[in-house]
Amino acid sequence: MAVVIASSHCSSRMSSAERMRTPPPADQQGESGVDANETSATGMSFEGTKEAQNFVEDPDFAKSYLSQCKGTIVKRIKADSKALERVDTISNATTREDVMYRPLADLLSDISKDMFDSISSEDRKSLGIAHAIVFIDQHDAPPSHFPVGDPRDKPDLVGAFSDKDVDETKPKGQKGKVSQKIPYHRLETVVEAKPKHKTGGPQCASYLYRLQQARPDRPGAYGLYVRPKFYQIFYSNPVGTKASKQIPWHNDKGELNLDVLCKYVYSLYDPLKDLFLYDPSVKWVEPLDQALGPPSWTITVGDDVYEGAAIEFIGNAWGRRTTVFRVERDGFPPIIIKEGYVESGRRYEESALLNHAHAPGFLPGVVRVVSAEDVQLDGRTIAFQDPSSQVTKTKRRVVLADTGVDLEHARSVNDLMKTFYDVLEVHRTLARERHVLHRDMSIFNILMYPMHASCVGARWQDCPPLIDDILGEPRRADAPRTPRCLLIDFDHSAKLVENDEPAQQDLRHRTGTPMYIARAVAAGEPLGGYASTPYAFKAAKMPLLSVEAKQLYVKAYGEDRYDRYNDVESTCHGGTVPLDSGDEQERPFHHRWEYDAESVFWTMYSVLLRVLPKESSSETEETHENLVEDWKSLNDHRIGSNRKVADSRAPLLEWKINRFSAPFLPGMRDVATTLHKIALQVIPSYAVMPSLPPYEDHLHEAMQRLILDYLVAHRDHDIPLQPGMLRNTGGRVEEGGREHGMFASELRSTTGPKGQAGGVGRSLKKATTQDSVSRSSRKRAAPEHEESSQRAAKKRIQPYRYATATGPHDRRPRKHDPPVLQGQWEWPAEPAGGQPPSDDDAGDDEADA
């Protein structure tokens, strides 16, 4: 049965507190802040910069990427005196490009009208077009309503379907400026113009990158680059950007050479089918009372329709191009919809792996899949093949039943510690009981304060005692067992299958997020150096719990589990300590469980180092300098091809306690001490031990014991935090502890492009994209919702391409993967804060997640 799910905020944007945290672009380099007499600007500051500069020119571009238009129309256009006059103006531009804008806009708009008029009314209906595309000079006004943040790119011209609202934005007069910015969701194409001696191809490619990030309904997109002597057409999709050769405005006979330009414009209406210029299963919706206002999105997945979705994460447009949508519902958990372009033929696909993990019964703390599908258009799967690698990327969409809150929005240190304890418990249970290894543990893929949808008839199974069960807090007395964490993003996970060579081969691949990846995974081999010395192992004996902590532990898990992991004199984590270099064992690299545990440590460190207590001493110059230095060591880490390059994070592990705690604020010194103890457990290269630890979750156990000790000692001495506020990891500190410029403001980001520091003093309201990481289902911000406005039910439906239920591009049955679950999902779900049943309740006819 089809279900229509509408957001309670379907016609308004999410509040800043609800948006995902993503890094801002670096300050623009080169041309920026110019006026109409100079040039446009772009923030080419994302990880796609190199790809933008290395676009491929295809000599057969017109044949491979452009549709044929009527020759008679092209002939008439080339004979038009106005076209000749406009091209002459463009060709005579020298050092100023602004003189090109108006004639170029008029030329393209006239060509567009002629192409539109050449399409019969029946074909227009079939193509889903109601208006001609008009080209507008918008070089002095960056497009508005970028989904997450404000990249401030300024294409010289933009193409958008003409209607009253769009037409009113046109510049008035010869040097007039646009009266209102054209929003990204209305853009159909972008144009970059450059005078002589300037290059604009990479800039045009970068505009297409942003356009595709902002338009999930546009798998592919066209762009145009113009110089006085030539023009060049671009086509971009998730496998990269292709371009035509540089085409002179005039042929050898001096005649206008507009054939390819006309094909470009015509292709905006009727593209080649295999280029997938549009995806009608996702449509934008503007507020009815706000022309060109911020859009929400209506998404069709199988037979279900989700209305009022807001984009809260966008990834690398030339990578997986992950887009995460959030559908808010008053009093109920939000719905998360994630889509991206995944490599076809991968051994493990996220939704299938999650269904496998939950097949015996829901495992609390692991995100669940409601439905998943390969997105199709007219019965054809939307997919693109990279000609150089022959890799095919298929558009995949997944609806997720659970969500949570970004770690940096924690309300207290104890909440964070409890979350990390449960992360380790859930992770080791997932690996041991469900045979799934995550392999990408990071700040992006660990959420706290989880919220769950309900599923009638669901079973919960393999839920171990969690931190709240161990501490025995009063609120847990009669409540079912629930984790403090939620693990998401299983795109890089793998099954643990013994005696299966392909499965073992998967574990030999390096994968992870640079800042958080384990050192051995980054190196692609077991660690040597200090990590393999007897000194490192002797400092990493399995920790013994305090008397009170041990009593709580044994009550929850039993004495056997405690004794099982304890060391004797000659062991470390149950394995044999190498006494000298000759005792080290050379084993081939594969992704071990402890490597994910190390990634959890780096996540703990990055969060706890930067959170801001409510009652905290001012930042001193000394603590700030140490913070900047240590954060740089963590943030600068890269996964390089040269595996012998030293890991920039290694010193952070090896500092003595005084230096290790130096960047922490005074009130966080006990936290620093606990992190230092955990660091000592992380340092050793367990893979080189003569005999390995008998239990693969040995590092989990050690880290959890230290966290438990901290929580027991600080049960009545929690440290309240300022949610969404981070210490500044850059700049300098002035007298009184204030950062130069700003201090202690809303969270905007933690890392900038290529890992540049962000931090305190940056507003979440102006967050922008994480171009360098194509990870998915990233951070969730705190669940503080705006009240619904009266216009919530008023919508301005996307009036153009495939917005109506007519023609061959209507929604059709799609390849749909039913989840392997124990019951039927209910929408709406239970109010936020509902809890899953305990093991004792497993098998009930109705169980809420």
Side-chain angles (χ1 to χ4, degrees):
M1 182 179 68
V3 178
V4 177
I5 302 169
S7 169
S8 56
H9 309 291
C10 60
S11 67
S12 62
R13 283 196 299 179
M14 301 171 65
S15 68
S16 61
E18 295 170 324
R19 289 203 173 195
M20 276 203 175
R21 174 186 54 71
T22 46
D27 294 335
Q28 289 178 178
Q29 303 295 321
E31 302 167 347
S32 61
V34 296
D35 60 30
N37 292 324
E38 293 178 339
T39 181
S40 60
T42 181
M44 289 204 26
S45 53
F46 51 84
E47 286 293 322
T49 300
K50 183 177 180 180
E51 290 90 332
Q53 295 171 339
N54 295 332
F55 60 85
V56 177
E57 289 190 3
D58 186 341
D60 295 324
F61 183 90
K63 180 179 179 180
S64 302
Y65 296 97
L66 299 177
S67 297
Q68 294 292 328
C69 53
K70 295 180 179 179
T72 55
I73 304 296
V74 176
K75 186 176 181 179
R76 186 173 72 239
I77 292 172
K78 293 195 294 184
D80 185 4
S81 60
K82 288 184 178 180
L84 180 60
E85 179 183 345
R86 290 161 180 163
V87 170
D88 285 344
T89 303
I90 295 169
S91 299
N92 291 326
T94 55
T95 60
R96 290 178 51 183
E97 69 185 53
D98 62 302
V99 299
M100 304 167 67
Y101 298 154
R102 180 58 61 86
L104 182 58
D106 291 342
L107 173 67
L108 293 171
S109 293
D110 284 354
I111 293 175
S112 178
K113 185 177 184 305
D114 287 340
M115 294 300 162
F116 178 78
D117 290 343
S118 71
I119 302 172
S120 67
S121 58
E122 182 178 348
D123 287 342
R124 290 180 198 171
K125 189 175 182 180
S126 173
L127 291 169
I129 53 177
H131 303 272
I133 293 173
V134 62
F135 288 79
I136 299 174
D137 170 5
Q138 194 162 312
H139 74 278
D140 58 349
S144 59
H145 307 318
F146 194 74
V148 185
D150 185 7
R152 299 188 180 280
D153 290 358
K154 296 179 182 178
D156 293 326
L157 307 181
V158 297
F161 280 108
S162 175
D163 68 0
K164 178 177 179 294
D165 301 324
V166 169
D167 291 345
E168 287 180 352
T169 68
K170 293 180 180 179
K172 305 298 190 294
Q174 185 63 31
K175 295 186 178 181
K177 296 185 177 182
V178 295
S179 59
Q180 184 178 352
K181 301 175 183 178
I182 302 291
Y184 267 100
H185 65 274
R186 290 288 193 108
L187 303 189
E188 298 298 324
T189 187
V190 290
V191 181
E192 176 63 16
K194 289 292 182 187
K196 292 182 178 180
H197 312 303
K198 286 192 176 182
T199 301
Q203 199 164 325
C204 181
S206 73
Y207 293 150
L208 287 174
Y209 182 100
R210 293 299 191 194
L211 173 59
Q212 290 186 277
Q213 285 186 314
R215 294 295 301 266
D217 58 333
R218 292 294 183 263
Y222 288 109
L224 174 65
Y225 164 45
V226 171
R227 286 270 296 272
K229 298 302 181 185
F230 65 81
Y231 61 89
Q232 189 172 28
I233 315 299
F234 285 72
Y235 171 74
S236 178
N237 63 31
V239 301
T241 302
K242 297 291 188 295
S244 69
K245 62 181 182 180
Q246 296 176 351
I247 303 168
W249 285 105
H250 300 84
N251 61 23
D252 295 338
K253 298 179 180 180
E255 301 169 336
L256 287 181
N257 191 13
L258 302 182
D259 299 66
V260 178
L261 188 68
C262 290
K263 291 179 181 179
Y264 149 69
V265 175
Y266 181 77
S267 296
L268 297 174
Y269 296 110
D270 187 12
L272 297 176
K273 294 187 180 301
D274 290 339
L275 297 189
F276 297 107
L277 207 62
Y278 48 84
D279 172 9
S281 67
V282 54
K283 305 183 181 74
W284 57 259
V285 179
E286 287 179 355
L288 184 62
D289 55 355
Q290 187 179 358
L292 308 181
S296 63
W297 299 85
T298 297
I299 305 167
T300 300
V301 185
D303 294 328
D304 300 331
V305 179
Y306 300 87
E307 297 180 343
I311 297 175
E312 63 172 26
F313 176 80
I314 44 181
N316 186 345
W318 295 325
R320 296 186 64 123
R321 196 175 160 187
T322 300
T323 305
V324 178
F325 302 87
R326 187 183 183 101
V327 182
E328 293 288 350
R329 300 171 298 157
D330 284 338
F332 300 103
I335 297 168
I336 301 299
I337 302 173
K338 167 185 164 184
E339 66 178 34
Y341 293 81
V342 300
E343 292 183 8
S344 301
R346 289 184 55 171
R347 182 172 174 83
Y348 301 118
E349 190 274 321
E350 182 183 30
S351 61
L353 204 60
L354 285 170
N355 285 333
H356 162 80
H358 288 296
F362 286 153
L363 178 61
V366 177
V367 69
R368 299 167 298 162
V369 175
V370 175
S371 61
E373 68 175 10
D374 289 338
V375 182
Q376 296 190 338
L377 171 64
D378 291 345
R380 295 174 297 122
T381 299
I382 296 178
F384 300 92
Q385 186 177 63
D386 185 346
S388 60
S389 66
Q390 297 301 306
V391 170
T392 298
K393 293 184 177 181
T394 300
K395 187 168 187 179
R396 182 79 174 165
R397 187 174 290 143
V398 182
V399 180
L400 301 172
D402 314 293
T403 187
V405 174
D406 186 357
L407 295 174
E408 292 160 337
H409 287 266
R411 295 188 283 269
S412 75
V413 168
N414 280 7
D415 281 0
L416 279 170
M417 289 294 198
K418 292 174 182 178
T419 297
F420 288 123
Y421 185 97
D422 280 358
V423 163
L424 292 162
E425 191 66 34
V426 169
H427 182 277
R428 67 198 290 195
T429 303
L430 177 66
R432 182 180 61 252
E433 303 295 338
R434 306 302 172 87
H435 311 293
V436 173
L437 193 61
H438 191 283
R439 299 202 301 170
D440 190 18
M441 302 293 285
S442 72
I443 195 173
F444 306 118
N445 300 331
I446 299 171
L447 305 180
M448 63 191 307
Y449 308 133
M451 295 173 282
H452 307 280
S454 64
C455 186
V456 177
R459 284 188 303 113
W460 294 86
Q461 188 169 315
D462 298 328
C463 183
L466 301 165
I467 190 60
D468 286 334
D469 304 297
I470 297 170
L471 296 177
E473 296 183 351
R475 72 177 187 84
R476 299 286 291 183
D478 299 319
R481 187 174 295 160
T482 308
R484 289 273 187 152
C485 68
L486 181 69
L487 299 188
I488 63 172
D489 192 351
F490 283 73
D491 282 321
H492 299 279
S493 301
K495 286 184 181 179
L496 299 172
V497 184
E498 294 184 3
N499 302 319
D500 185 319
E501 180 55 31
Q504 294 300 313
Q505 187 64 36
D506 285 326
L507 295 177
R508 297 186 187 110
H509 296 158
R510 295 188 298 162
T511 184
T513 303
M515 191 186 300
Y516 309 98
I517 193 172
R519 294 158 297 151
V521 180
E525 60 187 11
L527 297 172
Y530 177 74
S532 62
T533 64
Y535 307 103
F537 288 101
K538 289 178 180 178
K541 291 279 190 176
M542 182 62 64
L544 299 178
L545 290 169
S546 65
V547 174
E548 183 181 359
K550 180 182 177 182
Q551 290 175 346
L552 295 172
Y553 179 103
V554 170
K555 183 179 179 181
Y557 299 116
E559 191 84 40
D560 288 345
R561 169 164 157 169
Y562 186 73
D563 293 339
R564 184 188 317 146
Y565 290 92
N566 286 341
D567 279 319
V568 297
E569 181 65 26
S570 61
T571 65
C572 175
H573 291 211
T576 304
V577 176
L579 299 180
D580 54 50
S581 58
D583 290 339
E584 297 175 9
Q585 295 294 310
E586 294 187 6
R587 296 183 175 92
F589 167 81
H590 74 275
H591 199 114
R592 297 170 55 83
W593 296 18
E594 70 234 25
Y595 297 157
D596 275 10
E598 180 181 333
S599 294
V600 174
F601 165 77
W602 291 120
T603 303
M604 292 180 66
Y605 183 86
S606 73
V607 175
L608 290 166
L609 179 67
R610 295 173 300 127
V611 291
L612 197 64
K614 283 187 175 180
E615 298 179 4
S616 175
S617 302
S618 297
E619 187 86 71
T620 66
E621 185 173 350
E622 182 181 2
T623 59
H624 186 257
E625 286 178 355
N626 286 312
L627 170 65
V628 172
E629 179 183 343
D630 291 0
W631 178 254
K632 187 176 187 299
S633 296
L634 177 65
N635 203 36
D636 283 355
H637 180 253
R638 293 292 176 267
I639 307 172
S641 57
N642 185 352
R643 301 181 179 185
K644 300 301 181 183
V645 174
D647 194 306
S648 65
R649 302 166 300 171
L652 302 178
L653 293 172
E654 298 171 10
W655 291 128
K656 300 297 184 182
I657 180 60
N658 289 339
R659 176 59 184 86
F660 185 94
S661 60
F664 289 82
L665 294 172
M668 296 285 286
R669 292 301 166 85
D670 285 354
V671 175
T673 299
T674 297
L675 284 174
H676 183 258
K677 292 177 180 178
I678 295 175
L680 294 178
Q681 301 294 324
V682 169
I683 288 175
S685 180
Y686 296 99
V688 305
M689 300 178 80
S691 63
L692 295 171
Y695 304 104
E696 293 189 87
D697 54 358
H698 61 94
L699 185 54
H700 297 68
E701 177 74 13
M703 294 173 64
Q704 286 178 272
R705 289 188 182 189
L706 292 169
I707 294 171
L708 179 58
D709 257 342
Y710 175 90
L711 287 169
V712 170
H714 294 81
R715 292 177 74 168
D716 300 322
H717 305 284
D718 197 1
I719 302 175
L721 300 174
Q722 302 179 51
M725 306 277 280
L726 298 179
R727 298 168 65 198
N728 178 48
T729 54
R732 62 182 179 86
V733 175
E734 296 179 332
E735 291 185 13
R738 296 188 65 83
E739 176 210 351
H740 178 63
M742 287 186 238
F743 184 73
S745 185
E746 286 183 275
L747 168 69
R748 178 181 181 184
S749 75
T750 56
T751 56
K754 300 185 180 179
Q756 295 170 5
V760 169
R762 300 188 170 190
S763 171
L764 187 70
K765 296 177 181 178
K766 292 190 176 182
T768 187
T769 61
Q770 166 116 5
D771 304 291
S772 61
V773 180
S774 58
R775 305 289 184 255
S776 53
S777 295
R778 297 294 201 270
K779 299 69 58 188
R780 313 291 192 255
E784 301 171 359
H785 310 306
E786 293 180 315
E787 293 184 3
S788 300
S789 63
Q790 291 184 349
R791 72 183 186 204
K794 299 178 180 179
K795 309 170 188 176
R796 182 187 297 267
I797 302 297
Q798 179 174 343
Y800 310 120
R801 180 89 67 184
Y802 312 111
T804 57
T806 59
H809 301 290
D810 299 343
R811 178 170 59 83
R812 297 176 182 274
R814 312 185 189 286
K815 179 181 178 182
H816 192 71
D817 300 335
V820 185
L821 302 176
Q822 298 82 32
Q824 290 294 317
W825 293 101
E826 283 192 318
W827 308 113
E830 71 201 38
Q835 309 290 346
S838 64
D839 289 342
D840 295 336
D841 296 326
D844 288 352
D845 290 337
E846 181 169 338
D848 290 336

